[in-house]
Amino acid sequence: MVHPSGYIPVLRDENEDPRTRVLSVLELEDLFLRYAPEKSAFADSKGNLPPKTVVGLVGYPNVGKSSTINALLGEKKVSVSSTPGKTKHFQTIHLSSSIMLCDCPGLVFPQFATTKAELICDGVLPIDQMREYSAPCALVVQRVPPEILEATYGLSIRRRTVDDGGNGHQITESDFLSAYAIARGFARSGVGNPDEARAARYVLKDYVNGKLLYCHPPPSVPSESFNSQSHSRILQRLIDSGKKRAPTTRVGRNADTYIAPSTSSPAPGTSQSSIAQSAEARALDERFFDNRTMSSRPFVQGTSRSGLSISRNRMYPHQNYVANDGTMLSGREAHVATILQAAGQDAARNKKHHKPRRVKLRKLQATTGYD
Protein backbone atom coordinates (compact mmCIF):
# COMPACT_ATOMS: atom_id res chain seq x y z
CA MET A 1 0.00 0.00 0.00
CA VAL A 2 1.31 3.41 -1.01
CA HIS A 3 1.32 6.27 1.45
CA PRO A 4 -0.87 9.28 0.49
CA SER A 5 2.25 11.43 0.21
CA GLY A 6 3.60 9.21 -2.57
CA TYR A 7 6.38 7.48 -0.58
CA ILE A 8 6.39 3.76 0.15
CA PRO A 9 6.42 3.14 3.92
CA VAL A 10 9.26 1.01 5.30
CA LEU A 11 8.45 -1.75 7.77
CA ARG A 12 10.49 -1.45 10.99
CA ASP A 13 11.42 -3.94 13.65
CA GLU A 14 10.66 -2.85 17.18
CA ASN A 15 13.90 -4.38 18.48
CA GLU A 16 16.07 -2.60 15.93
CA ASP A 17 18.76 -0.27 17.21
CA PRO A 18 17.73 3.33 16.39
CA ARG A 19 21.35 4.24 15.64
CA THR A 20 21.48 1.81 12.70
CA ARG A 21 18.04 2.46 11.27
CA VAL A 22 17.69 3.81 7.75
CA LEU A 23 15.11 6.60 7.92
CA SER A 24 12.54 7.26 5.25
CA VAL A 25 12.02 10.70 3.74
CA LEU A 26 9.09 11.56 6.03
CA GLU A 27 10.97 10.38 9.11
CA LEU A 28 13.99 12.43 8.10
CA GLU A 29 11.84 15.54 7.69
CA ASP A 30 10.43 15.02 11.18
CA LEU A 31 13.99 14.57 12.47
CA PHE A 32 15.07 17.84 10.89
CA LEU A 33 12.16 19.76 12.39
CA ARG A 34 12.59 18.16 15.80
CA TYR A 35 16.29 18.98 16.18
CA ALA A 36 16.21 22.35 14.41
CA PRO A 37 16.35 25.47 16.64
CA GLU A 38 13.38 27.79 16.91
CA LYS A 39 12.80 30.18 14.03
CA SER A 40 12.73 33.09 16.46
CA ALA A 41 16.49 32.71 16.85
CA PHE A 42 16.89 33.67 13.16
CA ALA A 43 14.54 36.68 13.10
CA ASP A 44 15.77 39.79 11.32
CA SER A 45 15.93 43.34 12.69
CA LYS A 46 12.25 43.87 11.99
CA GLY A 47 11.20 40.70 13.76
CA ASN A 48 10.29 38.76 10.60
CA LEU A 49 10.73 35.01 10.89
CA PRO A 50 12.26 32.92 8.05
CA PRO A 51 9.56 31.13 6.03
CA LYS A 52 11.37 27.74 6.01
CA THR A 53 13.89 25.78 8.02
CA VAL A 54 17.17 25.69 6.13
CA VAL A 55 19.22 22.46 6.34
CA GLY A 56 22.72 22.60 4.90
CA LEU A 57 24.89 19.64 3.84
CA VAL A 58 28.57 20.23 4.60
CA GLY A 59 31.44 17.75 4.39
CA TYR A 60 34.35 16.36 2.43
CA PRO A 61 34.17 16.18 -1.36
CA ASN A 62 32.74 13.02 -2.89
CA VAL A 63 30.98 11.77 0.24
CA GLY A 64 27.41 11.87 -1.14
CA LYS A 65 25.97 15.30 -0.30
CA SER A 66 24.40 15.82 -3.73
CA SER A 67 23.35 12.16 -3.92
CA THR A 68 21.57 12.49 -0.58
CA ILE A 69 19.59 15.47 -1.87
CA ASN A 70 18.57 13.55 -5.01
CA ALA A 71 17.52 10.57 -2.87
CA LEU A 72 15.36 12.81 -0.64
CA LEU A 73 13.68 14.43 -3.62
CA GLY A 74 13.19 11.15 -5.48
CA GLU A 75 14.63 12.55 -8.72
CA LYS A 76 17.82 14.11 -10.05
CA LYS A 77 17.80 17.76 -9.09
CA VAL A 78 21.53 18.38 -8.67
CA SER A 79 24.38 16.99 -10.73
CA VAL A 80 26.47 14.20 -9.23
CA SER A 81 29.78 12.62 -10.23
CA SER A 82 32.34 10.20 -8.83
CA THR A 83 35.03 12.84 -9.37
CA PRO A 84 35.56 15.07 -6.32
CA GLY A 85 34.67 18.73 -6.80
CA LYS A 86 31.68 18.31 -9.09
CA THR A 87 29.56 20.85 -7.17
CA LYS A 88 31.07 24.25 -7.93
CA HIS A 89 28.63 26.69 -6.32
CA PHE A 90 26.08 27.06 -3.52
CA GLN A 91 22.53 25.99 -4.46
CA THR A 92 19.21 25.63 -2.63
CA ILE A 93 16.46 23.06 -3.18
CA HIS A 94 12.98 23.06 -1.63
CA LEU A 95 12.26 19.71 -0.02
CA SER A 96 8.80 20.54 1.35
CA SER A 97 6.73 23.52 2.41
CA SER A 98 8.71 23.81 5.66
CA ILE A 99 12.26 22.60 4.79
CA MET A 100 14.80 23.92 2.30
CA LEU A 101 18.03 22.04 1.56
CA CYS A 102 21.36 23.72 0.77
CA ASP A 103 24.07 21.99 -1.26
CA CYS A 104 27.57 23.43 -1.17
CA PRO A 105 30.96 22.38 -2.56
CA GLY A 106 33.09 19.98 -0.54
CA LEU A 107 35.49 21.44 2.01
CA VAL A 108 38.88 20.00 2.95
CA PHE A 109 40.04 21.41 6.26
CA PRO A 110 43.72 21.28 7.27
CA GLN A 111 44.32 18.52 9.79
CA PHE A 112 47.10 16.37 11.20
CA ALA A 113 45.23 13.09 11.69
CA THR A 114 44.87 12.28 7.96
CA THR A 115 47.58 12.62 5.34
CA LYS A 116 47.10 13.77 1.78
CA ALA A 117 47.81 10.25 0.53
CA GLU A 118 44.94 8.87 2.61
CA LEU A 119 42.60 11.57 1.30
CA ILE A 120 43.48 10.54 -2.27
CA CYS A 121 42.88 6.87 -1.51
CA ASP A 122 39.56 7.73 0.18
CA GLY A 123 38.38 9.59 -2.92
CA VAL A 124 38.32 13.00 -1.26
CA LEU A 125 40.97 14.60 -3.46
CA PRO A 126 40.90 14.24 -7.27
CA ILE A 127 43.37 11.71 -8.65
CA ASP A 128 43.98 13.52 -11.95
CA GLN A 129 45.27 16.59 -10.12
CA MET A 130 47.71 14.86 -7.77
CA ARG A 131 51.40 15.69 -8.10
CA GLU A 132 52.95 12.97 -5.94
CA TYR A 133 51.84 9.39 -6.54
CA SER A 134 54.31 7.26 -4.56
CA ALA A 135 52.69 7.76 -1.12
CA PRO A 136 49.10 6.86 -2.21
CA CYS A 137 50.35 3.82 -4.13
CA ALA A 138 52.40 2.76 -1.11
CA LEU A 139 49.16 2.69 0.91
CA VAL A 140 47.47 0.57 -1.77
CA VAL A 141 50.37 -1.91 -1.80
CA GLN A 142 50.30 -2.01 2.00
CA ARG A 143 46.56 -2.63 2.22
CA VAL A 144 46.04 -5.06 -0.68
CA PRO A 145 48.05 -8.34 -0.66
CA PRO A 146 50.54 -8.86 -3.53
CA GLU A 147 48.79 -12.05 -4.63
CA ILE A 148 45.54 -10.16 -5.29
CA LEU A 149 47.39 -7.44 -7.22
CA GLU A 150 49.07 -10.05 -9.41
CA ALA A 151 45.87 -12.01 -10.00
CA THR A 152 43.78 -8.90 -10.68
CA TYR A 153 46.06 -7.42 -13.35
CA GLY A 154 47.85 -10.58 -14.49
CA LEU A 155 51.27 -9.37 -13.36
CA SER A 156 54.47 -10.97 -12.11
CA ILE A 157 55.71 -8.41 -9.61
CA ARG A 158 59.35 -8.50 -8.60
CA ARG A 159 60.20 -9.40 -5.00
CA ARG A 160 63.34 -7.72 -3.77
CA THR A 161 65.81 -10.14 -2.22
CA VAL A 162 68.10 -9.48 0.72
CA ASP A 163 70.88 -8.41 -1.69
CA ASP A 164 68.55 -5.73 -3.09
CA GLY A 165 67.37 -4.45 0.31
CA GLY A 166 64.15 -6.48 0.64
CA ASN A 167 62.99 -9.61 2.41
CA GLY A 168 61.87 -11.69 -0.57
CA HIS A 169 58.13 -11.49 0.22
CA GLN A 170 56.94 -7.88 0.22
CA ILE A 171 56.75 -5.65 -2.84
CA THR A 172 57.27 -1.92 -3.22
CA GLU A 173 55.10 0.59 -5.01
CA SER A 174 57.85 1.23 -7.56
CA ASP A 175 58.10 -2.45 -8.53
CA PHE A 176 54.31 -2.74 -8.75
CA LEU A 177 53.91 0.36 -10.92
CA SER A 178 56.81 -0.67 -13.16
CA ALA A 179 55.27 -4.10 -13.72
CA TYR A 180 51.86 -2.53 -14.45
CA ALA A 181 53.34 0.01 -16.89
CA ILE A 182 55.34 -2.66 -18.75
CA ALA A 183 52.30 -4.93 -19.00
CA ARG A 184 50.10 -2.12 -20.39
CA GLY A 185 52.79 -0.60 -22.60
CA PHE A 186 53.03 2.73 -20.75
CA ALA A 187 56.45 4.25 -21.49
CA ARG A 188 57.92 7.73 -21.17
CA SER A 189 59.29 9.54 -24.17
CA GLY A 190 63.03 9.47 -24.64
CA VAL A 191 64.72 6.41 -23.19
CA GLY A 192 61.44 4.49 -22.90
CA ASN A 193 61.35 3.84 -19.16
CA PRO A 194 58.04 2.66 -17.63
CA ASP A 195 55.60 5.53 -17.05
CA GLU A 196 54.86 4.98 -13.36
CA ALA A 197 52.86 8.21 -12.99
CA ARG A 198 50.33 7.12 -15.62
CA ALA A 199 50.12 3.64 -14.12
CA ALA A 200 49.53 5.12 -10.66
CA ARG A 201 46.45 7.01 -11.86
CA TYR A 202 44.88 3.85 -13.26
CA VAL A 203 45.61 1.85 -10.12
CA LEU A 204 44.30 4.54 -7.75
CA LYS A 205 41.09 4.88 -9.75
CA ASP A 206 40.56 1.12 -9.53
CA TYR A 207 41.12 1.31 -5.78
CA VAL A 208 38.67 4.19 -5.27
CA ASN A 209 36.03 2.52 -7.48
CA GLY A 210 36.25 -0.74 -5.51
CA LYS A 211 38.08 -3.00 -7.97
CA LEU A 212 40.80 -3.45 -5.35
CA LEU A 213 38.73 -4.14 -2.26
CA TYR A 214 39.83 -3.02 1.20
CA CYS A 215 37.62 -2.43 4.23
CA HIS A 216 38.75 -0.24 7.12
CA PRO A 217 38.49 -2.22 10.36
CA PRO A 218 37.28 -0.91 13.72
CA PRO A 219 39.93 0.72 15.91
CA SER A 220 40.58 -2.39 18.03
CA VAL A 221 40.69 -4.97 15.17
CA PRO A 222 43.81 -5.64 13.01
CA SER A 223 43.30 -4.99 9.32
CA GLU A 224 44.84 -8.34 8.25
CA SER A 225 42.38 -10.44 10.22
CA PHE A 226 39.45 -8.18 9.35
CA ASN A 227 40.04 -8.47 5.57
CA SER A 228 41.43 -12.01 5.44
CA GLN A 229 38.12 -13.70 4.60
CA SER A 230 37.19 -11.27 1.81
CA HIS A 231 40.71 -11.35 0.36
CA SER A 232 40.76 -15.15 0.29
CA ARG A 233 37.43 -15.24 -1.58
CA ILE A 234 38.60 -12.65 -4.09
CA LEU A 235 41.87 -14.50 -4.66
CA GLN A 236 40.10 -17.81 -5.24
CA ARG A 237 37.70 -16.20 -7.70
CA LEU A 238 40.55 -14.60 -9.62
CA ILE A 239 42.50 -17.87 -9.75
CA ASP A 240 39.46 -19.73 -11.06
CA SER A 241 39.06 -17.16 -13.85
CA GLY A 242 42.48 -18.21 -15.26
CA LYS A 243 43.66 -14.79 -16.35
CA LYS A 244 46.72 -14.77 -18.61
CA ARG A 245 49.92 -13.28 -17.24
CA ALA A 246 51.25 -10.13 -18.89
CA PRO A 247 54.90 -9.81 -20.08
CA THR A 248 57.42 -8.71 -17.49
CA THR A 249 59.75 -6.92 -19.92
CA ARG A 250 59.67 -5.33 -23.36
CA VAL A 251 63.29 -6.29 -24.13
CA GLY A 252 63.71 -9.03 -26.73
CA ARG A 253 65.36 -12.34 -25.88
CA ASN A 254 68.17 -11.73 -28.36
CA ALA A 255 69.08 -8.33 -26.89
CA ASP A 256 72.26 -7.86 -24.89
CA THR A 257 70.35 -6.35 -21.95
CA TYR A 258 67.77 -9.16 -21.72
CA ILE A 259 67.46 -10.78 -18.30
CA ALA A 260 65.37 -13.90 -17.93
CA PRO A 261 62.53 -13.35 -15.43
CA SER A 262 62.48 -15.35 -12.22
CA THR A 263 59.56 -17.80 -12.35
CA SER A 264 59.85 -19.12 -8.81
CA SER A 265 58.65 -16.95 -5.95
CA PRO A 266 59.48 -17.83 -2.32
CA ALA A 267 56.68 -19.06 -0.17
CA PRO A 268 55.59 -17.05 2.86
CA GLY A 269 57.49 -18.01 5.99
CA THR A 270 60.73 -18.86 4.18
CA SER A 271 63.89 -17.84 6.01
CA GLN A 272 65.97 -15.06 4.55
CA SER A 273 69.00 -17.33 4.09
CA SER A 274 67.08 -19.61 1.72
CA ILE A 275 65.80 -16.81 -0.51
CA ALA A 276 67.08 -17.19 -4.06
CA GLN A 277 69.19 -14.62 -5.80
CA SER A 278 67.57 -11.92 -7.87
CA ALA A 279 67.54 -12.27 -11.65
CA GLU A 280 69.91 -9.32 -12.13
CA ALA A 281 72.48 -10.62 -9.65
CA ARG A 282 72.28 -14.13 -11.07
CA ALA A 283 72.80 -12.90 -14.62
CA LEU A 284 75.79 -10.81 -13.54
CA ASP A 285 77.38 -13.76 -11.75
CA GLU A 286 76.85 -16.05 -14.75
CA ARG A 287 78.49 -13.58 -17.12
CA PHE A 288 81.46 -13.02 -14.82
CA PHE A 289 82.23 -16.51 -13.44
CA ASP A 290 80.87 -18.93 -16.07
CA ASN A 291 82.67 -17.25 -18.98
CA ARG A 292 85.93 -19.21 -19.10
CA THR A 293 87.24 -17.89 -22.42
CA MET A 294 89.28 -14.76 -22.77
CA SER A 295 88.36 -14.11 -26.40
CA SER A 296 84.96 -12.70 -25.50
CA ARG A 297 86.44 -9.98 -23.34
CA PRO A 298 86.20 -6.48 -24.78
CA PHE A 299 89.05 -5.29 -26.96
CA VAL A 300 90.57 -1.84 -26.84
CA GLN A 301 91.13 -0.06 -30.12
CA GLY A 302 94.62 1.44 -29.92
CA THR A 303 96.05 4.28 -31.99
CA SER A 304 99.73 3.78 -31.24
CA ARG A 305 99.67 0.30 -32.80
CA SER A 306 98.23 1.31 -36.19
CA GLY A 307 94.67 0.71 -35.12
CA LEU A 308 95.10 -2.94 -34.01
CA SER A 309 92.72 -4.13 -31.29
CA ILE A 310 94.40 -5.38 -28.12
CA SER A 311 93.10 -7.44 -25.22
CA ARG A 312 96.44 -8.27 -23.54
CA ASN A 313 100.14 -7.84 -24.14
CA ARG A 314 101.78 -10.62 -26.15
CA MET A 315 105.14 -9.07 -26.97
CA TYR A 316 107.37 -11.57 -25.11
CA PRO A 317 107.29 -15.41 -25.17
CA HIS A 318 106.28 -15.81 -21.54
CA GLN A 319 103.16 -13.74 -22.28
CA ASN A 320 102.02 -16.26 -24.89
CA TYR A 321 102.01 -19.41 -22.79
CA VAL A 322 98.24 -19.12 -22.47
CA ALA A 323 96.08 -18.93 -25.60
CA ASN A 324 92.94 -16.85 -25.97
CA ASP A 325 90.76 -19.83 -25.12
CA GLY A 326 92.64 -20.47 -21.85
CA THR A 327 94.66 -23.53 -22.95
CA MET A 328 98.36 -23.89 -22.08
CA LEU A 329 100.95 -23.72 -24.89
CA SER A 330 104.41 -25.22 -25.06
CA GLY A 331 107.58 -23.18 -25.31
CA ARG A 332 107.87 -23.58 -29.07
CA GLU A 333 104.25 -22.63 -29.62
CA ALA A 334 104.66 -19.57 -27.43
CA HIS A 335 107.79 -18.56 -29.39
CA VAL A 336 105.95 -18.97 -32.70
CA ALA A 337 103.00 -16.94 -31.37
CA THR A 338 105.40 -14.17 -30.38
CA ILE A 339 106.98 -14.10 -33.85
CA LEU A 340 103.58 -14.03 -35.54
CA GLN A 341 102.42 -11.26 -33.25
CA ALA A 342 105.50 -9.17 -34.02
CA ALA A 343 105.14 -9.86 -37.74
CA GLY A 344 101.55 -8.81 -37.70
CA GLN A 345 102.40 -5.58 -35.96
CA ASP A 346 105.24 -4.81 -38.41
CA ALA A 347 103.04 -5.61 -41.36
CA ALA A 348 100.36 -3.36 -40.02
CA ARG A 349 102.87 -0.61 -39.26
CA ASN A 350 104.48 -0.77 -42.77
CA LYS A 351 101.23 -1.13 -44.63
CA LYS A 352 100.97 1.24 -47.59
CA HIS A 353 97.80 2.41 -49.26
CA HIS A 354 98.16 2.79 -53.03
CA LYS A 355 95.81 5.56 -53.98
CA PRO A 356 95.16 6.63 -57.59
CA ARG A 357 97.20 9.56 -58.74
CA ARG A 358 95.26 12.77 -59.06
CA VAL A 359 95.40 14.47 -62.45
CA LYS A 360 94.84 18.16 -62.83
CA LEU A 361 91.79 19.19 -64.78
CA ARG A 362 93.82 21.47 -67.09
CA LYS A 363 96.19 18.66 -68.07
CA LEU A 364 93.28 16.27 -68.58
CA GLN A 365 91.53 18.69 -70.92
CA ALA A 366 94.71 19.28 -72.92
CA THR A 367 95.31 15.58 -73.55
CA THR A 368 91.74 14.41 -74.20
CA GLY A 369 90.48 17.28 -76.38
CA TYR A 370 86.89 18.08 -77.23
CA ASP A 371 84.31 16.36 -79.36
Side-chain angles (χ1 to χ4, degrees):
M1 182 177 179
V2 180
H3 197 269
S5 61
Y7 295 100
I8 300 177
V10 181
L11 299 178
R12 302 296 183 185
D13 188 4
E14 297 180 355
N15 299 326
E16 186 178 3
D17 191 351
R19 296 176 299 176
T20 59
R21 287 179 54 190
V22 179
L23 302 180
S24 63
V25 177
L26 298 178
E27 292 175 345
L28 189 59
E29 289 184 13
D30 296 338
L31 182 66
F32 287 158
L33 295 175
R34 186 165 61 251
Y35 283 94
E38 297 293 336
K39 293 183 179 180
S40 59
F42 303 98
D44 55 7
S45 58
K46 298 181 179 180
N48 298 326
L49 300 179
K52 293 185 178 181
T53 301
V54 181
V55 179
L57 282 79
V58 183
Y60 278 121
N62 199 23
V63 294
K65 298 184 295 296
S66 300
S67 300
T68 303
I69 292 177
N70 291 334
L72 292 175
L73 296 174
E75 57 180 335
K76 185 177 180 180
K77 287 291 186 179
V78 293
S79 59
V80 295
S81 176
S82 60
T83 304
K86 177 64 177 178
T87 304
K88 302 294 184 182
H89 55 277
F90 184 84
Q91 48 190 342
T92 58
I93 300 96
H94 296 276
L95 179 61
S96 62
S97 58
S98 58
I99 296 178
M100 182 174 61
L101 302 177
C102 294
D103 189 15
C104 69
L107 303 175
V108 180
F109 299 98
Q111 56 180 338
F112 300 97
T114 305
T115 61
K116 191 174 182 180
E118 293 177 349
L119 294 178
I120 292 176
C121 292
D122 294 340
V124 175
L125 299 180
I127 297 175
D128 294 330
Q129 298 179 9
M130 69 176 181
R131 298 182 179 179
E132 203 275 330
Y133 59 87
S134 60
C137 292
L139 283 177
V140 174
V141 172
Q142 182 181 357
R143 293 173 178 177
V144 183
E147 295 79 10
I148 294 183
L149 295 177
E150 292 180 338
T152 302
Y153 299 110
L155 305 177
S156 298
I157 307 175
R158 170 194 177 191
R159 266 82 168 177
R160 293 182 182 268
T161 59
V162 179
D163 297 338
D164 298 332
N167 57 1
H169 312 308
Q170 300 296 330
I171 63 174
T172 61
E173 67 277 4
S174 178
D175 295 334
F176 170 54
L177 295 178
S178 298
Y180 185 93
I182 292 173
R184 301 298 186 268
F186 299 159
R188 294 194 294 264
S189 59
V191 185
N193 294 328
D195 193 353
E196 298 181 1
R198 184 180 178 186
R201 286 174 170 83
Y202 280 88
V203 172
L204 291 175
K205 288 180 180 179
D206 291 341
Y207 180 81
V208 172
N209 294 331
K211 185 176 181 179
L212 301 175
L213 184 61
Y214 175 79
C215 299
H216 290 271
S220 60
V221 179
S223 60
E224 292 79 6
S225 60
F226 187 76
N227 292 277
S228 60
Q229 185 176 3
S230 60
H231 284 169
S232 60
R233 292 180 180 177
I234 293 173
L235 183 60
Q236 186 62 37
R237 176 173 54 85
L238 293 174
I239 293 176
D240 295 340
S241 63
K243 190 172 185 178
K244 185 178 178 181
R245 290 299 179 97
T248 58
T249 179
R250 294 290 176 177
V251 181
R253 292 182 178 271
N254 298 327
D256 297 336
T257 57
Y258 176 77
I259 297 177
S262 178
T263 56
S264 61
S265 59
T270 308
S271 60
Q272 295 184 358
S273 59
S274 61
I275 296 175
Q277 255 186 332
S278 62
E280 292 81 359
R282 185 168 57 253
L284 181 62
D285 292 344
E286 290 177 355
R287 291 180 182 179
F288 186 81
F289 293 105
D290 296 346
N291 189 7
R292 301 182 181 277
T293 62
M294 299 177 63
S295 59
S296 62
R297 292 187 178 182
F299 287 81
V300 179
Q301 188 72 19
T303 56
S304 61
R305 306 185 59 178
S306 302
L308 291 178
S309 58
I310 177 175
S311 62
R312 60 190 179 95
N313 291 325
R314 294 183 298 173
M315 184 180 301
Y316 301 101
H318 70 278
Q319 296 175 344
N320 293 277
Y321 278 106
V322 180
N324 288 336
D325 58 354
T327 59
M328 297 297 296
L329 301 179
S330 62
R332 181 179 178 82
E333 292 174 344
H335 185 67
V336 172
T338 305
I339 296 175
L340 294 178
Q341 178 69 14
Q345 293 177 7
D346 295 337
R349 186 181 294 109
N350 299 330
K351 184 177 180 180
K352 296 181 180 180
H353 300 278
H354 299 281
K355 298 181 180 179
R357 187 176 181 181
R358 298 180 62 184
V359 182
K360 293 183 179 181
L361 181 59
R362 189 185 311 170
K363 185 177 180 180
L364 183 64
Q365 292 177 354
T367 55
T368 55
Y370 295 93
D371 294 338

